[in-house]
């Protein structure tokens, strides 16, 4: 399942993506428009900034804006940033691989092979959904 943090990150990104390119959105503005608790949103925006999805401007007229194009930010990107692996088990993961301690032979493990198929289909679907495509649905 998608965590609440990832869901709020997506809502914040959707809000930012719908603003004019030159618009800088204050945290309170995003929180109110996307129904996200302000304190929680502040941490999420910092995580998105560290992930190079958003930038920020300091000062009285400061706030947040998209750094990356809304056409490039995918559900897979945000899921990985906030929730980690897309695979259901570490042995089937691309970016968070770990061998299962109870596995005798990965090469012949039917469970691992089945979960790799699920990971591939899930990843394909998540990479095909961008912030821009969500706005246009």
């Amino acid at each position: 399942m998608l965590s609440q943090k990832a869901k709020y990150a997506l809502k914040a990104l959707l809000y930012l993506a719908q603003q004019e390119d030159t618009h800088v959105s204050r945290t309170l503005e995003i929180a109110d428009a996307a129904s996200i608790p302000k304190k929680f949103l502040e941490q999420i925006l910092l995580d998105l900034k560290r992930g190079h999805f958003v930038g920020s401007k300091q000062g009285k007229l400061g706030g947040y804006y998209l750094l990356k194009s809304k056409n490039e930010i995918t559900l897979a990107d945000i899921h990985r940033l906030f929730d980690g692996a897309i695979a259901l088990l570490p042995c089937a993961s691309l970016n968070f691989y770990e061998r299962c301690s109870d596995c005798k032979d990965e090469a012949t493990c039917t469970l691992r092979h089945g979960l790799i198929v699920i990971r591939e289909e899930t990843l394909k679907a998540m990479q095909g959904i961008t912030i821009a495509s969500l706005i246009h649905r």
Side-chain angles (χ1 to χ4, degrees):
M1 281 181 105
L2 197 62
S3 68
Q4 192 68 28
K5 199 170 186 181
K7 179 182 174 185
Y8 284 160
L10 289 166
K11 288 177 72 173
L13 289 167
L14 285 165
Y15 177 79
L16 291 173
Q18 293 177 70
Q19 307 311 305
E20 295 293 323
D21 289 341
T22 58
H23 184 73
V24 177
S25 301
R26 294 174 311 147
T27 306
L28 186 58
E29 175 188 338
I30 300 166
D32 288 345
S35 301
I36 304 169
K38 185 178 179 287
K39 278 288 188 197
F40 201 21
L41 177 61
E42 289 170 352
Q43 181 59 50
I44 290 166
L45 289 168
L46 287 175
D47 290 340
L48 286 168
K49 185 176 176 183
R50 283 187 212 110
H52 306 286
F53 294 99
V54 301
S56 67
K57 183 177 175 185
Q58 300 296 318
K60 185 178 175 182
L61 300 174
Y64 290 87
Y65 55 91
L66 287 183
L67 261 183
K68 215 173 179 185
S69 167
K70 61 187 170 189
N71 295 307
E72 295 175 13
I73 303 171
T74 69
L75 286 184
D77 294 331
I78 303 309
H79 185 280
R80 282 187 172 135
L81 180 65
F82 289 98
D83 295 338
I86 292 170
L88 297 175
L89 282 179
C91 68
S93 179
L94 288 172
N95 297 335
F96 301 92
Y97 171 82
E98 281 183 39
R99 183 175 173 81
C100 292
S101 60
D102 59 346
C103 188
K104 293 178 183 172
D105 181 17
E106 272 190 356
T108 60
C109 179
T110 55
L111 178 58
R112 178 175 186 263
H113 293 295
L115 293 177
I116 287 172
V117 170
I118 292 170
R119 179 209 64 213
E120 287 298 316
E121 292 299 317
T122 303
L123 182 58
K124 180 180 171 187
M126 291 178 85
Q127 287 176 329
I129 300 172
T130 65
I131 295 299
S133 73
L134 289 172
I135 292 170
H136 293 76
R137 285 190 180 189

